[in-house]
Amino acid sequence: MHSLCLLPPSLLRHLRMYKELDNHLTMVKVILGILFLLSGGSIYLLHRSTGIVLFRVVDALGCMDTVEALRASVATLPEFVVFSLPDGLWSASYLLFVDAVFASQSKSIRLVWGALIPAIGLASELLQAIGFCPGTPDWQDALCYGVPYILYVIWLEVAAAH
């Protein structure tokens, strides 16, 4: 019995291998995105002030005692890691999720969707700098929002060239 497909069997095998590789790559993106998201959240839970909104949620869930016990047992981290790195981890996490979800879409669609969170982060820093938004503007935060997007653009360019 012959296949109804007009493609040669060798090409079909290569396409199936590519699809399998693509599925593995998507899974890696999702796993890395989750790890980056959890890493940023862990830094917040273990090192940021308990006055931020996140801790009201933790308290409402009845987990504050556990979080406070964990906080008492961790070493102090540099200010950049505590105050700016979570922004970069969350920005990178978002980009990995966007790339996994929109993997079959054009590069321009992925770039537009990918720009959303980094642009919001950069805009919030700018609005803080001009006094329109509460908070203290920080160039390191802006860098952590922007660098993952710049790396994403470069990665898409390199991928398109291959």
Side-chain angles (χ1 to χ4, degrees), residues 104-140:
S104 64
Q105 300 297 317
S106 69
K107 181 175 74 170
S108 59
I109 288 175
R110 290 164 30 188
L111 287 172
V112 168
W113 278 103
L116 185 63
I117 293 298
I120 290 170
L122 291 168
S124 73
E125 292 301 320
L126 177 63
L127 293 173
Q128 288 172 23
I130 62 174
F132 192 74
C133 181
T136 305
D138 188 337
W139 68 270
Q140 290 178 329

Side-chain angles (χ1 to χ4, degrees), residues 89-112:
L89 290 168
W90 292 331
S91 184
S93 174
Y94 171 76
L95 289 164
L96 286 162
F97 292 143
V98 163
D99 203 64
V101 169
F102 293 102
S104 64
Q105 300 297 317
S106 69
K107 181 175 74 170
S108 59
I109 288 175
R110 290 164 30 188
L111 287 172
V112 168

Side-chain angles (χ1 to χ4, degrees), residues 4-151:
L4 294 176
C5 184
L6 299 176
L7 297 174
S10 61
L11 180 58
L12 285 173
R13 277 193 302 276
H14 288 293
L15 289 174
R16 278 190 217 109
M17 286 174 39
Y18 176 76
K19 182 66 177 163
E20 187 175 313
L21 177 63
D22 192 43
N23 287 340
H24 289 307
L25 185 57
T26 298
M27 184 63 76
V28 168
K29 291 173 194 174
V30 169
I31 290 169
L32 280 175
I34 291 168
L35 288 174
F36 287 176
L37 190 65
L38 292 175
S39 296
S42 296
I43 292 169
Y44 256 66
L45 282 174
L46 298 175
H47 298 280
R48 294 295 295 261
S49 163
T50 55
I52 60 177
V53 175
L54 173 66
F55 287 96
R56 283 188 241 149
V57 174
V58 169
D59 194 31
L61 293 172
C63 300
M64 198 60 178
D65 291 339
T66 303
V67 170
E68 285 179 349
L70 288 170
R71 288 170 63 90
S73 67
V74 296
T76 303
L77 295 175
E79 281 190 24
F80 170 79
V81 173
V82 173
F83 295 104
S84 299
L85 185 60
D87 300 334
L89 290 168
W90 292 331
S91 184
S93 174
Y94 171 76
L95 289 164
L96 286 162
F97 292 143
V98 163
D99 203 64
V101 169
F102 293 102
S104 64
Q105 300 297 317
S106 69
K107 181 175 74 170
S108 59
I109 288 175
R110 290 164 30 188
L111 287 172
V112 168
W113 278 103
L116 185 63
I117 293 298
I120 290 170
L122 291 168
S124 73
E125 292 301 320
L126 177 63
L127 293 173
Q128 288 172 23
I130 62 174
F132 192 74
C133 181
T136 305
D138 188 337
W139 68 270
Q140 290 178 329
D141 289 355
L143 198 63
C144 285
Y145 285 121
V147 166
Y149 186 73
I150 292 167
L151 293 174

Side-chain angles (χ1 to χ4, degrees), residues 147-162:
V147 166
Y149 186 73
I150 292 167
L151 293 174
Y152 182 60
V153 171
I154 292 168
W155 182 50
L156 288 179
E157 288 296 325
V158 169
H162 286 91

